[in-house]
């Protein structure tokens, strides 16, 4: 799924669509990246997600279960419990992944040939040396990342668990598999639609600034306001198509693994 993430980030950081090198469609973006950067261009920034994905998913699901259990002691409806537990898990997850996201975005937007750009670890050292570990360096864009992950997980878990309890389960294993995958697919799609303005702001803050040496995009909400004022409301939804293509199916697969693994652990442990 990483090539779709590269295309999504490229869409989000571009401001001038009149540039002949701008990206207009998903297909055209794939063709341009392949033509100018080669096959490895689709895998720029792949190392940070590989390093972060296991702890990220572990935090996502374990904290969701933890917050859900804690909220069970309060007099909340099940629907609201799922939403708040999802929000909490997303905020916790964001703190873990943000430094990896800063490195990933910086590598993804680099249009040089793969062999000409710095390695992941060299680029991370470069950020730390120049900008430090704080909110202007390896942790810049944290507020936008909190918004992105918090809203996604809130919608993702909230919709999935609420709808799953409404749609009756099936005794047929295949139909039950499709039921869970379908609900997970819609959950991932809806989460992407709701959180993408934060994702665009995050890419602008963590990516290259319009004028080298001048920081235009600093804070999350000010960045969103600036994008809306200068480029229109649709600019806050740049990269939505490749994002949905990645996180729709990805959302279904994730929750299938979660459901079946959780059931197996309950039976065998």
């Amino acid at each position: 799924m990483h090539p779709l993430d590269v295309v999504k980030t490229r869409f989000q950081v571009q401001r001038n669509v009149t540039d002949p090198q701008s990206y207009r469609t998903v297909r055209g973006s794939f063709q341009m990246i392949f033509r100018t950067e080669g096959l490895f261009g689709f895998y720029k920034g792949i190392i940070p997600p590989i390093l972060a994905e296991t702890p990220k998913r572990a935090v996502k699901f374990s904290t969701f279960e933890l917050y859900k259990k804690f909220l069970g002691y309060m007099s909340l409806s099940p629907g609201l419990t799922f939403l708040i537990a999802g929000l909490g898990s997303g905020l916790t997850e964001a703190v873990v992944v943000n430094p990896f996201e800063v490195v990933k975005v910086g590598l993804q937007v680099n249009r040089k040939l793969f062999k000409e750009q710095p390695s992941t670890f060299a680029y991370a050292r470069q950020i730390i040396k120049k900008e430090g570990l704080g909110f202007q360096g390896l942790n810049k864009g944290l507020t936008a990342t909190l918004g992105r992950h918090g809203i996604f997980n809130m919608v993702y878990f909230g919709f999935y668990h609420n709808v799953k309890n409404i749609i009756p389960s099936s005794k047929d294993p295949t139909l039950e598999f499709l039921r869970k995958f379908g609900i997970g697919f819609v959950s991932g799609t809806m989460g992407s639609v709701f959180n993408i303005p934060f994702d665009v702001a995050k890419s602008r803050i963590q990516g290259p600034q319009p004028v080298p040496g001048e920081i235009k995009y600093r804070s999350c909400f000010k960045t969103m306001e600036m994008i809306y004022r200068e480029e229109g409301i649709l600019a806050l939804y740049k990269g939505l198509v490749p994002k949905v293509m990645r996180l729709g199916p990805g959302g279904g697969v994730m929750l299938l693994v979660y459901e079946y693994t959780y059931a197996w652990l309950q039976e065998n442990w």
Side-chain angles (χ1 to χ4, degrees), residues 113-149:
L113 291 173
F114 190 84
K115 62 183 180 182
E116 294 176 355
Q117 70 172 185
S119 71
T120 299
F121 298 103
Y123 183 63
R125 286 195 298 269
Q126 181 181 320
I127 294 172
I128 294 169
K129 185 177 180 180
K130 287 185 177 180
E131 300 163 340
L133 295 167
F135 297 129
Q136 298 301 319
L138 205 59
N139 265 297
K140 62 184 172 184
L142 178 59
T143 304
T145 306
L146 287 167
R148 184 180 80 154
H149 288 260

Side-chain angles (χ1 to χ4, degrees), residues 63-64 67-68 71 80-90 157:
T63 56
F64 173 73
Y67 293 137
K68 188 174 71 173
L71 291 165
L80 187 58
T81 297
F82 293 135
L83 287 169
I84 297 174
L87 175 63
S89 74
F157 284 117

Side-chain angles (χ1 to χ4, degrees), residues 11-252:
F11 269 119
Q12 290 178 340
V13 298
Q14 74 176 6
R15 288 162 289 274
N16 185 7
V17 294
T18 59
D19 183 349
Q21 294 299 311
S22 67
Y23 303 104
R24 291 177 173 81
T25 65
V26 174
R27 182 180 177 183
S29 303
F30 271 91
Q31 291 173 336
M32 187 182 295
I33 292 171
F34 182 75
R35 186 174 64 249
T36 58
E37 301 170 47
L39 182 63
F40 288 116
F42 296 117
Y43 292 93
K44 288 179 174 178
I46 186 67
I47 299 299
I50 287 175
L51 294 174
E53 206 62 25
T54 298
K56 172 184 173 181
R57 301 306 174 195
V59 168
K60 177 194 285 285
F61 289 101
S62 63
T63 56
F64 173 73
E65 291 296 332
L66 185 67
Y67 293 137
K68 188 174 71 173
K69 184 177 180 181
F70 173 75
L71 291 165
Y73 295 109
M74 303 181 185
S75 56
L76 299 174
S77 67
L80 187 58
T81 297
F82 293 135
L83 287 169
I84 297 174
L87 175 63
S89 74
L91 296 176
T92 310
E93 178 187 51
V95 175
V96 174
V97 303
N98 193 62
F100 296 92
E101 287 289 323
V102 172
V103 177
K104 184 197 76 170
V105 169
L107 293 170
Q108 286 181 333
V109 299
N110 190 325
R111 294 197 185 193
K112 293 180 180 179
L113 291 173
F114 190 84
K115 62 183 180 182
E116 294 176 355
Q117 70 172 185
S119 71
T120 299
F121 298 103
Y123 183 63
R125 286 195 298 269
Q126 181 181 320
I127 294 172
I128 294 169
K129 185 177 180 180
K130 287 185 177 180
E131 300 163 340
L133 295 167
F135 297 129
Q136 298 301 319
L138 205 59
N139 265 297
K140 62 184 172 184
L142 178 59
T143 304
T145 306
L146 287 167
R148 184 180 80 154
H149 288 260
I151 290 175
F152 182 87
N153 282 11
M154 181 176 69
V155 175
Y156 184 63
F157 284 117
F159 182 85
Y160 179 79
H161 285 284
N162 281 298
V163 172
K164 187 185 76 167
N165 292 333
I166 296 171
I167 299 176
S169 59
S170 174
K171 293 181 180 179
D172 185 320
T174 303
L175 291 177
E176 181 62 9
F177 177 90
L178 292 174
R179 181 183 79 99
K180 289 178 177 176
F181 178 79
I183 300 171
F185 183 97
V186 176
S187 300
T189 300
M190 288 183 63
S192 299
V193 172
F194 277 97
N195 85 336
I196 194 165
F198 288 92
D199 199 6
V200 172
K202 171 186 158 302
S203 295
R204 294 291 179 95
I205 294 168
Q206 295 177 344
Q209 300 294 313
V211 179
E214 287 184 23
I215 301 178
K216 179 177 182 178
Y217 303 114
R218 290 181 182 272
S219 64
C220 174
F221 293 104
K222 191 171 181 181
T223 296
M224 291 166 68
E225 180 197 354
M226 204 179 298
I227 294 169
Y228 170 73
R229 191 174 64 248
E230 295 177 356
E231 303 170 46
I233 187 70
L234 292 180
L236 291 169
Y237 291 85
K238 285 182 176 180
L240 179 60
V241 173
K243 183 180 175 76
V244 167
M245 289 172 68
R246 183 171 71 93
L247 290 176

